[in-house]
Amino acid sequence: MEECLYAQALNILISALSSGNTSTPPAPAFLPTSEHLAFAATLAVHPSLTTRAQSEDRLQTSILALKYLRLVLRLVGPVHGSLRDAFAFSTPEISSRRGVIRRRRTTGDGFSPDKDGFDSINNDLASAGSIWAKAQDFWHVVGWAFNCSVLHARRWERWRLWLEYMIDTLDTDWAQRVHIHGESDNGEQDLRERSIIVQYLKDVNERRIIRAVFADGSPKSAGEFPEVWRNETKKRKKDADMKKTESKIDIEADQWGDYMHNSASSSELEDTPPPASPTKATPTTDLAASIPDVSAPFGGPQSVLLRLRLLSLLSTISVFLPHTFTSLPTLYDLYLEHIRPLPLPNFFLIISPSSMQHFHLSAASSITQVILRSLIASSAPLPLTDDLTQETLESCYLPYPANTGSISDNAKVSLCVETLLRLLQRHCGLDWSESLQEAVEKGIEAREQKAKNVAKGKGKGKGDAGGEKMWLKGSEARIKGLIELVRCQQEIMDD
């Protein structure tokens, strides 16, 4: 890899790892050093090999790098593959010998350089130019990637694949360590403490972590989580560069084609162009354009999914290792700060029953109740615990409106109640009763009445009020439909 023959080297690594897996029983896996795995992670997303690739071969390098990393995750696993060491971010260090700033790999336990040192691969992308050296920490990368999902679609295409792989790695690493911890009874150090996600949480402010997960491309967010590499969002002036005949490679004559070029100069780059002018509309495109993409402020549905997976993982860490990160009440208060102010479409995108499926039932229930309690009328009694039961719903949530006359707040209360009802039905079951029917009808009427005349004299346009009313009505209709379904099912069972 030092000669920048990336594709060839990665193909050899893929072949070496895959070949042993075909035997019965599987042969021991061949893995390179952690520096090579870290190098592959940089190759998978570096702009010179993705959005600014000069040739198909260089573009293929990023694809092969990600393919290899996924093979390592699937065939070897993050624990046995030592991905914790490979995916550790760096801190600057002054070299007394050279008098220049170097990068040194660290873990949550302090400096931990490998025997050959961080610079054992003589390539800038494996040292000072790597993602592990350029980014402040994992949450810098998360925030920047999500900013790209909103602002820079071309870069997001690559960051999405990288971030998806990293979240898969974090989830798998945590699950494997939980399993090992459950089988161990010898009092050794808790392996969960040495998970990759815990390494990324140490010495990082929890508020900054949540801001990274909710990064939305705003000037404030872009300022806090800037690009990882200089000129990262720029592209080459001529896309035809990808189609040019590759330079001749003659090793004996020391001709290496474009392999020895890691990045482009500023003069070869241009800013990402504005969106192309719209084409002639057709009935189909008119219909598509008339349907709003509620996920757009969060970068689209794939971006939303990755955000939810991170929020779920953080919730899990707080349950099992609160001393390492933060307590659940503190974490859910941070979620509340970011979710409650969202406009209704975006609020529902996060709090909907389908989104809550990415959380454990107890986490989904607690998060929804924390948000609901901040919105519901003060006359609603507070439940003693976050345990989700039908009795709690009937007595504490279903019959009550919001604590303001805002249509938006009453719609959010209705959406939270709807989510809790569906969670209970899916995981525990709902039993129709007159008290349940009465609580549902009372709450719908109370929210309707409280929000009835809010649009008047409040400075809100009719469009806003009309849209918010639609969300309130829609939620009410779904709640009624759910209760009617439960009643019909119960009648059938009774017969």
Side-chain angles (χ1 to χ4, degrees):
M1 285 192 178
E2 292 183 358
E3 290 77 16
C4 299
L5 301 176
Y6 303 136
Q8 291 86 336
L10 286 164
N11 273 318
I12 292 173
L13 290 173
I14 290 171
S15 178
L17 182 58
S18 302
S19 59
N21 193 59
T22 59
S23 60
T24 305
F30 169 79
L31 281 183
T33 65
S34 60
E35 287 93 339
H36 287 84
L37 295 173
F39 190 20
T42 294
L43 297 179
V45 75
H46 194 275
S48 69
L49 299 166
T50 53
T51 47
R52 295 208 311 258
Q54 291 178 290
S55 66
E56 289 291 345
D57 187 83
R58 293 180 70 80
L59 182 60
Q60 187 68 11
T61 294
S62 64
I63 298 172
L64 290 172
L66 193 59
K67 178 180 180 181
Y68 178 64
L69 290 172
R70 285 207 167 276
L71 273 176
V72 172
L73 180 62
R74 180 169 62 88
L75 300 180
V76 183
V79 177
H80 296 301
S82 299
L83 296 188
R84 180 180 186 271
D85 296 329
F87 296 163
F89 285 83
S90 314
T91 58
E93 181 189 43
I94 302 297
S95 170
S96 58
R97 290 188 301 163
R98 302 181 187 178
V100 297
I101 293 180
R102 302 175 59 204
R103 308 298 299 188
R104 193 175 188 183
R105 304 296 296 283
T106 70
T107 68
D109 302 321
F111 293 116
S112 178
D114 292 309
K115 292 180 180 179
D116 296 329
F118 184 69
D119 296 328
S120 59
I121 302 177
N122 186 24
N123 187 301
D124 181 64
L125 296 186
S127 53
S130 72
I131 189 173
W132 315 108
K134 285 293 185 179
Q136 179 181 347
D137 55 24
F138 178 68
W139 305 106
H140 172 192
V141 179
V142 168
W144 168 241
F146 286 141
N147 280 334
C148 285
S149 73
V150 179
L151 300 174
H152 309 289
R154 293 180 71 250
R155 278 307 287 162
W156 170 240
E157 290 175 6
R158 298 296 173 171
W159 276 118
R160 178 184 64 81
L161 296 173
W162 189 92
L163 189 57
E164 187 177 61
Y165 165 76
M166 286 299 298
I167 296 175
D168 287 344
T169 300
L170 296 179
D171 282 338
T172 305
D173 178 68
W174 173 260
Q176 288 185 356
R177 293 177 186 275
V178 167
H179 178 72
I180 295 171
H181 175 75
E183 292 186 339
S184 175
D185 57 357
N186 54 12
E188 293 182 358
Q189 180 185 7
D190 190 342
L191 277 181
R192 298 174 302 178
E193 295 273 8
R194 294 184 56 77
S195 62
I196 303 174
I197 182 61
V198 168
Q199 174 178 266
Y200 291 164
L201 293 173
K202 288 184 176 178
D203 302 320
V204 183
N205 182 274
E206 58 266 21
R207 288 185 175 274
R208 179 172 173 272
I209 291 171
I210 305 305
R211 288 197 300 269
V213 177
F214 282 95
D216 58 0
S218 64
K220 182 178 180 181
S221 182
E224 184 173 13
F225 306 106
E227 62 183 5
V228 174
W229 288 284
R230 184 172 176 266
N231 291 326
E232 184 180 333
T233 60
K234 294 187 176 183
K235 69 170 188 176
R236 294 195 171 277
K237 290 183 179 179
K238 296 180 180 179
D239 288 334
D241 285 347
M242 290 290 292
K243 301 178 181 179
K244 288 182 179 179
T245 303
E246 296 180 12
S247 302
K248 182 179 179 181
I249 299 175
D250 187 339
I251 298 176
E252 293 183 357
D254 199 29
Q255 295 178 4
W256 297 91
D258 64 355
Y259 284 108
M260 302 304 289
H261 300 283
N262 286 330
S263 59
S265 63
S266 298
S267 62
E268 295 176 295
L269 306 175
E270 64 178 3
D271 290 317
T272 303
S277 34
T279 56
K280 186 176 180 180
T282 66
T284 303
T285 57
D286 283 343
L287 177 61
S290 67
I291 302 174
D293 181 6
V294 298
S295 65
F298 284 127
Q302 293 169 323
S303 174
V304 172
L305 173 60
L306 295 179
R307 295 172 196 262
L308 290 171
R309 289 182 62 188
L310 282 172
L311 292 175
S312 177
L313 181 57
L314 292 174
S315 174
T316 300
I317 302 301
S318 285
V319 169
F320 291 99
L321 302 174
H323 58 281
T324 297
F325 179 35
T326 190
S327 66
L328 268 182
T330 300
L331 181 66
Y332 291 164
D333 283 344
L334 292 175
Y335 289 4
L336 172 65
E337 288 180 17
H338 286 81
I339 296 172
R340 176 177 168 169
L342 292 173
L344 271 170
N346 312 126
F347 178 89
F348 182 65
L349 194 64
I350 301 297
I351 208 69
S352 69
S354 58
S355 294
M356 286 293 117
Q357 290 181 19
H358 298 287
F359 295 82
H360 188 275
L361 172 60
S362 60
S365 170
S366 295
I367 293 169
T368 306
Q369 289 186 68
V370 166
I371 296 170
L372 179 54
R373 287 197 291 266
S374 74
L375 292 162
I376 206 164
S378 58
S379 57
L382 289 176
L384 297 177
T385 69
D386 284 345
D387 294 340
L388 185 58
T389 65
Q390 186 167 324
E391 182 182 357
T392 297
L393 280 175
E394 292 181 14
S395 60
C396 300
Y397 298 133
L398 284 174
Y400 297 97
N403 51 22
T404 72
S406 161
I407 300 176
S408 176
D409 284 351
N410 279 279
K412 288 177 179 179
V413 168
S414 185
L415 291 171
C416 288
V417 166
E418 177 188 347
T419 294
L420 290 176
L421 276 169
R422 292 194 179 275
L423 285 173
L424 186 61
Q425 182 211 21
R426 181 179 299 119
H427 295 279
C428 306
L430 275 173
D431 295 321
W432 185 89
S433 64
E434 290 186 1
S435 61
L436 176 64
Q437 186 76 44
E438 182 181 348
V440 166
E441 293 176 354
K442 183 178 178 181
I444 289 174
E445 176 65 21
R447 290 185 285 274
E448 281 279 356
Q449 288 299 320
K450 194 153 190 178
K452 199 167 187 179
N453 300 313
V454 156
K456 298 179 180 180
K458 293 283 185 176
K460 286 196 173 186
K462 292 182 179 179
D464 291 333
E468 292 170 350
K469 194 74 172 177
M470 179 190 70
W471 280 97
L472 178 58
K473 288 288 189 182
S475 178
E476 291 171 350
R478 291 190 297 271
I479 291 174
K480 288 178 180 178
L482 175 61
I483 299 304
E484 180 63 18
L485 175 64
V486 171
R487 186 187 67 79
C488 291
Q489 289 175 338
Q490 189 158 317
E491 285 183 354
I492 293 173
M493 292 180 63
D494 290 343
D495 291 341

